[in-house]
Amino acid sequence: MGIAGYSTKSDPYYIDSYTIVWWRFAASFVMLLVYFLIRKPRQLVILRRPPALLLLAGLLLGLNFIGFQEGVHYAGPAISQVIIQLGAVTLAFVGFIGFKEPSSPLKISGFILAAVGFFFFFFQQMNSVPAEAAHIKLGVIYLVAGAWTWTCYAIINKILVRKIPPMQINLILYAVPTLLYLPFVDFGALFQPHTVLIWLLLLFVALNTLIAYGSLSAALKYTEANKISIIVTLNPVITFIIMESLLWLDVSWFEAPGMTPLTYMGAAMVLGGAVLAVGAKSRASHRPHKKI
């Protein structure tokens, strides 16, 4: 299935990015809609006149998914998970500036380290696989766009959860991309006779969307943006472990661009900088609370 960077339309199980993204949102929307119909039918009133800001958040999330999906297609999963951290770092930065969340010199050092790491990682990867440079550059463009649209979506979501329950928000967030990408769906490829493994993968990515973004909306309601960002930075670590395991097992259905030790060093700089930027304690957190 064309989820990774080197599948083509000649692959019998190829499914294009728009179809995969539509499936993820459509399946998540249907599952959440059924839940509301059974448990909370009155809350479906939000479907009649959703707030304009919520519709914008749904559009941004849909663009984020396409950016990341195409980034994986052209650059591969490992590179994608490093570059997409730009979204988490930017969200933490906006948290300090826009939401007045506390900062510190250590956090600022984290932002600088992450920025240097992004450039180091990118240029090292370009030099290590020059034959794939054009594809990787295109993938990085998609990923940067996807990262920043995710940041904008998360900011709007953080504002909306103050007044609207997270599950109602998600209902619209899933509905907007479902409608947006409907004209681009290849139903023939999506619903062809797949193997059991492919159907399990399709089910997994649908449940992943439903659960992950449901949890994210709830987290944005109760937690600071910078604390959420540090959890997001775990994604590349998990991806590297899984990817290296698959390459070590020499599976025939998975390919990825090679990464040199210097490239991994750049990735470590990005992740280390991201952790410092979003997770280091601020000066405010060291101040003793005044007794009342």
Side-chain angles (χ1 to χ4, degrees), residues 185-215:
V185 178
D186 184 350
F187 288 103
L190 180 61
F191 295 114
Q192 64 177 298
H194 293 300
T195 63
V196 173
L197 176 60
I198 296 298
W199 281 117
L200 288 175
L201 287 173
L202 288 170
L203 178 61
F204 171 78
V205 296
L207 291 173
N208 171 269
T209 305
L210 178 68
I211 296 171
Y213 279 84
S215 301

Side-chain angles (χ1 to χ4, degrees), residues 27-267:
S28 298
F29 173 76
V30 169
M31 286 186 280
L32 192 55
L33 179 64
V34 170
Y35 169 82
F36 274 111
L37 287 170
I38 296 173
R39 300 294 298 275
K40 301 177 180 180
R42 292 184 179 180
Q43 292 193 15
L44 289 174
V45 69
I46 196 171
L47 292 173
R48 294 180 182 177
R49 297 186 67 178
L53 200 59
L54 181 51
L55 294 175
L56 176 60
L59 174 63
L60 290 167
L61 185 60
L63 294 175
N64 159 256
F65 266 61
I66 282 295
F68 183 74
Q69 191 73 49
E70 291 288 357
V72 172
H73 179 73
Y74 287 106
I79 296 174
S80 299
Q81 282 291 5
V82 173
I83 300 299
I84 205 69
Q85 295 310 304
L86 181 62
V89 174
T90 306
L91 177 61
F93 183 77
V94 172
F96 302 138
I97 302 300
F99 295 103
K100 307 301 180 183
E101 295 174 358
S103 185
S104 70
L106 195 57
K107 289 177 181 286
I108 295 171
S109 299
F111 285 119
I112 296 172
L113 180 60
V116 173
F118 277 122
F119 285 102
F120 187 80
F121 175 84
F122 175 73
F123 287 109
Q124 283 297 324
Q125 189 64 15
M126 291 297 98
N127 293 331
S128 65
V129 283
E132 300 164 1
H135 280 85
I136 293 175
K137 286 180 181 178
L138 181 58
V140 168
I141 292 172
Y142 276 114
L143 290 164
V144 170
W148 281 338
T149 53
W150 183 87
T151 301
C152 294
Y153 141 78
I155 293 169
I156 294 174
N157 200 339
K158 187 169 179 62
I159 295 170
L160 290 172
V161 291
R162 297 171 179 174
K163 297 181 179 180
I164 306 173
M167 291 185 67
Q168 277 188 303
I169 289 176
N170 286 341
L171 193 65
I172 302 301
L173 290 178
Y174 301 150
V176 172
T178 298
L179 296 175
L180 178 66
Y181 295 124
L182 184 60
F184 307 101
V185 178
D186 184 350
F187 288 103
L190 180 61
F191 295 114
Q192 64 177 298
H194 293 300
T195 63
V196 173
L197 176 60
I198 296 298
W199 281 117
L200 288 175
L201 287 173
L202 288 170
L203 178 61
F204 171 78
V205 296
L207 291 173
N208 171 269
T209 305
L210 178 68
I211 296 171
Y213 279 84
S215 301
L216 179 61
S217 290
L220 286 166
K221 182 176 182 179
Y222 299 108
T223 311
E224 294 176 353
N226 60 336
K227 291 181 179 178
I228 294 169
S229 296
I230 195 171
I231 302 300
V232 175
T233 60
L234 293 175
N235 288 341
V237 177
I238 298 170
T239 301
F240 282 130
I241 292 173
I242 295 174
M243 187 188 74
E244 291 298 335
S245 298
L246 291 173
L247 292 175
W248 181 75
L249 292 171
D250 196 26
V251 295
S252 60
W253 48 268
F254 178 83
E255 295 181 43
M259 293 179 64
T260 65
L262 286 177
T263 306
Y264 277 108
M265 184 183 298

